[in-house]
Amino acid sequence: MANTIVEYMHEHGGYRCGYCGNPDSNFSHGMWAHALSCQDYQDLIDRGWRRSGSYLYKPLMDKMCCPCFTIRCAALEFKPSKSQKKVIKKTIRYLVSGEKPDCNKPLSEDPTKVEDEEISAGTSEHPAQEKELRKMTSAAAKMASTSVASAAETSFKSKSTERTERTEGQNMADHKVVQNRKSNVKEKERGGLSVKREPRPGVGADQSKPQCKKAKELRRQKRMERLSQAGTDAEPVDKKQPNEPKSLEELIEEAEKASHGHKHKLEVRYVRSSPMSSKFEQTFKESYSIYHKYQTIIHKDPPSKPSEKQFKRFLVDSPLREEHSPGAPECGYGSFHEHFILDGKIIAVGVIDILPSCVSSVYFFYDPDYSFLSLGTYSALRELEFTRLLHLQAPKIVHYYMGFYIHSCIKMRYKGRYKPSFLLCPEAYNWHPIERCFPKLEASKYARLDETDAVDTPVQLEHVRILHMQTAMQYPDYRTFVPHADDEQEVKEYAQYVGKTCAGRMLLYRQ
């Protein structure tokens, strides 16, 4: 396996928080990855690191305003909730009949809307990336562009329902009725009378007609009639229990069937983005146009900000290598784009990393014209199903990583709805069911999730690997070459945050 090469950023000031808007309360450690193996990145995200392009960052959770807990879902045990099933059914209706859901429906009545809007926001570009790019000291880093923009905090507004204008006479009549009702209530209150209003008696059900039956019961009755006509009273043995809900695969299969021979056709295609596959190169311009439209309309970026160069650096370039090691799925490990293609054109793109133990979601963007499809939620469900498919080829792939969970930011709690989900303890680096973490996170923004005496393994400097003068060596050997180097504390900090395994395997670039 080729070596991972990183350049650690020792100085890390306060940056703007994209969740609460505080201008200088976002703190993190950072490093630039010149090359990164998929296994090393898997181990890093299991210690709270994430990537934004080739920039890796680890939030300083006990110092920042909105602590970011790494969250993952156990994909093999995942069962879609009622609201998540509604998203798939809504997609099926649109594919079959072209029926669009009511976009003017109040937000509180649509349990999937908030969830979809937040997922569609994805993981925004880290604000320290542009500043750290200017600090790069190696020759390879100096070739990188310094123009990397941060994604603004998403602002969503629910549309108000249209109201028909009343005439002036109608308004006056309504006003008089209200005043009369108020005066009657006051008079009753003065007299000690209760104001309880009895509902008008209804006609009730028509007793001459049979009671209505559920569609499921009607189907069962028809099946029994067919069996009776065939000369048998026995019911066929079903593989599924009568009341067993449909699995995620069955729901997705229904959506795929709805794409054939009906009003619309929706396909999902996975293409390797780094290195660029031929199919990715053919669709690059189309994907970028969706990204530009998304950033300017949803994130309110000025049109000049989401440039093609910035898009490539943020969502196309990746330090992850293409790997086809033993045990990997047929597509291999690395970085991919997930294209959602409606009637032959791309309407949404999911950026994902396929790693030895998981599928990691990086970012998601879509054409705002199709926001009525709840594409954020739909894409997450498709990625969960994709994780299960990869598991059949690579049994170690069992989790779906959703980035960070921010409990102190209510709009970011939607990720906990994908169950079962687990949060990473920022001190012991082990996983805990999210439901057990809620009491601690309600009491304090930052909390140690592990309740045992487990501690992180300390890293000795002699275990740290260094890249100096194009030569790999251990840290003590590096000090013999550079005896006056004043970087011991910085290297200790780096080693502790990446962990013993990565510190002994990755190469830390030193001048």
Side-chain angles (χ1 to χ4, degrees):
M1 182 174 62
N3 287 317
T4 291
I5 303 173
V6 296
E7 189 168 353
Y8 186 66
M9 312 299 175
H10 181 54
E11 297 180 4
H12 29 68
Y15 303 98
R16 181 184 178 276
C17 176
Y19 304 108
C20 68
N22 197 307
D24 57 358
S25 59
N26 183 7
F27 296 87
S28 66
H29 300 281
M31 57 186 179
W32 187 267
H34 299 285
L36 184 62
S37 75
C38 293
Q39 184 60 60
D40 284 337
Y41 186 50
Q42 176 72 68
D43 293 337
L44 286 172
I45 63 175
D46 285 337
R47 293 185 64 84
W49 291 82
R50 294 291 293 176
R51 79 173 183 91
S52 175
S54 293
Y55 181 77
L56 307 179
Y57 62 99
K58 176 180 171 61
L60 275 169
M61 296 175 59
D62 57 344
K63 188 177 180 181
M64 64 193 306
C65 54
C66 300
C68 304
F69 293 83
T70 300
I71 183 171
R72 73 183 186 186
C73 175
L76 305 187
E77 288 78 43
F78 170 76
K79 293 182 181 179
S81 65
K82 185 177 180 180
S83 64
Q84 291 159 356
K85 289 179 182 178
K86 284 183 178 179
V87 171
I88 299 179
K89 292 176 182 178
K90 177 171 60 176
T91 303
I92 293 173
R93 285 196 300 271
Y94 176 73
L95 296 176
V96 172
S97 64
E99 175 191 350
K100 293 183 180 181
D102 184 9
C103 295
N104 291 326
K105 193 174 184 179
L107 189 63
S108 59
E109 295 181 16
D110 188 354
T112 66
K113 191 168 183 58
V114 173
E115 185 174 0
D116 172 64
E117 289 176 339
E118 297 307 329
I119 291 176
S120 68
T123 305
S124 61
E125 185 179 10
H126 193 270
Q129 188 172 359
E130 180 180 1
K131 184 175 181 179
E132 298 300 351
L133 274 171
R134 293 196 292 266
K135 293 181 181 180
M136 302 298 286
T137 55
S138 67
K142 288 181 179 178
M143 296 172 61
S145 169
T146 60
S147 177
V148 182
S150 61
E153 180 182 3
T154 310
S155 173
F156 297 99
K157 297 181 179 180
S158 59
K159 294 183 179 180
S160 59
T161 56
E162 295 182 359
R163 297 186 177 91
T164 56
E165 294 183 357
R166 296 184 178 182
T167 62
E168 185 176 354
Q170 286 174 323
N171 288 334
M172 291 294 294
D174 291 344
H175 179 71
K176 290 179 180 179
V177 171
V178 171
Q179 292 299 324
N180 290 336
R181 287 176 179 174
K182 288 182 176 179
S183 61
N184 291 337
V185 170
K186 289 180 179 179
E187 289 176 4
K188 290 180 179 181
E189 288 177 348
R190 292 193 191 103
L193 300 176
S194 64
V195 194
K196 183 177 180 181
R197 296 187 180 91
E198 294 294 336
R200 292 181 180 179
V203 178
D206 190 347
Q207 301 297 327
S208 63
K209 295 182 179 180
Q211 188 176 1
C212 294
K213 296 181 180 180
K214 292 185 178 180
K216 186 176 181 180
E217 181 63 26
L218 289 173
R219 289 195 299 269
R220 184 179 182 278
Q221 182 178 341
K222 289 180 180 179
R223 182 173 58 177
M224 294 299 294
E225 290 174 358
R226 289 196 299 270
L227 291 172
S228 178
Q229 293 173 2
T232 176
D233 295 329
E235 279 197 76
V237 179
D238 294 332
K239 293 182 179 179
K240 285 176 63 69
Q241 295 298 322
N243 296 324
E244 185 178 351
K246 291 182 179 179
S247 66
L248 177 62
E249 285 79 6
E250 290 173 321
L251 292 168
I252 297 298
E253 184 181 2
E254 287 185 8
E256 291 176 343
K257 287 181 179 178
S259 294
H260 300 284
H262 293 100
K263 191 77 173 179
H264 297 288
K265 183 178 181 180
L266 178 63
E267 303 172 87
V268 179
R269 177 179 63 203
Y270 297 88
V271 295
R272 186 175 289 276
S273 56
S274 180
M276 293 185 188
S277 63
S278 58
K279 196 65 179 177
F280 179 85
E281 290 179 335
Q282 294 170 11
T283 57
F284 176 84
K285 294 287 186 182
E286 187 178 3
S287 295
Y288 167 66
S289 65
I290 300 296
Y291 173 74
H292 187 276
K293 189 175 181 180
Y294 173 79
Q295 292 296 127
T296 52
I297 295 178
I298 300 299
H299 285 278
K300 311 301 181 185
D301 284 355
S304 60
K305 193 173 185 179
S307 65
E308 188 173 303
K309 190 175 183 180
Q310 186 260 352
F311 168 69
K312 185 174 182 297
R313 180 168 301 284
F314 175 33
L315 295 176
V316 178
D317 293 345
S318 171
L320 294 174
R321 300 185 183 90
E322 178 181 0
E323 297 179 12
H324 295 272
S325 56
E330 185 178 345
C331 62
Y333 300 131
S335 299
F336 294 80
H337 276 202
E338 175 188 30
H339 292 165
F340 292 83
I341 306 167
L342 182 66
D343 299 332
K345 73 172 186 177
I346 297 175
I347 62 168
V349 178
V351 183
I352 61 173
D353 293 328
I354 299 178
L355 302 175
S357 302
C358 74
V359 170
S360 175
S361 177
V362 179
Y363 200 75
F364 178 76
F365 57 94
Y366 62 90
D367 186 338
D369 292 343
Y370 296 91
S371 58
F372 61 86
L373 287 176
S374 301
L375 289 168
T377 302
Y378 185 74
S379 70
L381 296 173
R382 290 302 298 251
E383 288 168 5
L384 275 159
E385 189 247 358
F386 183 55
T387 304
R388 292 181 174 183
L389 291 176
L390 291 177
H391 171 75
L392 299 178
Q393 301 177 7
K396 291 184 178 179
I397 298 179
V398 294
H399 290 111
Y400 174 59
Y401 282 62
M402 298 175 283
F404 291 127
Y405 173 84
I406 299 94
H407 190 78
S408 59
C409 182
I410 295 178
K411 70 176 186 178
M412 292 300 293
R413 295 184 184 181
Y414 69 91
K415 295 182 182 180
R417 300 174 194 163
Y418 293 83
K419 299 177 181 180
S421 288
F422 300 83
L423 298 184
L424 180 70
C425 176
E427 297 179 14
Y429 297 111
N430 48 21
W431 298 92
H432 302 270
I434 192 169
E435 292 81 7
R436 297 181 186 176
C437 302
F438 287 154
K440 291 186 176 183
L441 298 179
E442 287 291 336
S444 174
K445 287 185 177 181
Y446 172 79
R448 174 189 169 95
L449 305 180
D450 185 84
E451 296 179 352
T452 68
D453 296 330
V455 294
D456 187 27
T457 305
V459 184
Q460 303 299 323
L461 282 176
E462 54 264 27
H463 295 146
V464 180
R465 296 186 72 205
I466 302 293
L467 179 64
H468 177 65
M469 300 293 289
Q470 300 182 349
T471 304
M473 61 188 74
Q474 300 301 120
Y475 183 74
D477 298 326
Y478 157 72
R479 289 303 299 266
T480 62
F481 284 98
V482 190
H484 302 295
D486 186 20
D487 61 357
E488 185 172 324
Q489 290 301 319
E490 179 178 336
V491 175
K492 279 184 178 179
E493 182 182 82
Y494 154 82
Q496 201 59 44
Y497 283 116
V498 302
K500 184 177 181 179
T501 300
C502 286
R505 196 166 57 203
M506 302 192 307
L507 291 175
L508 175 63
Y509 174 80
R510 298 278 89 182
Q511 280 188 322

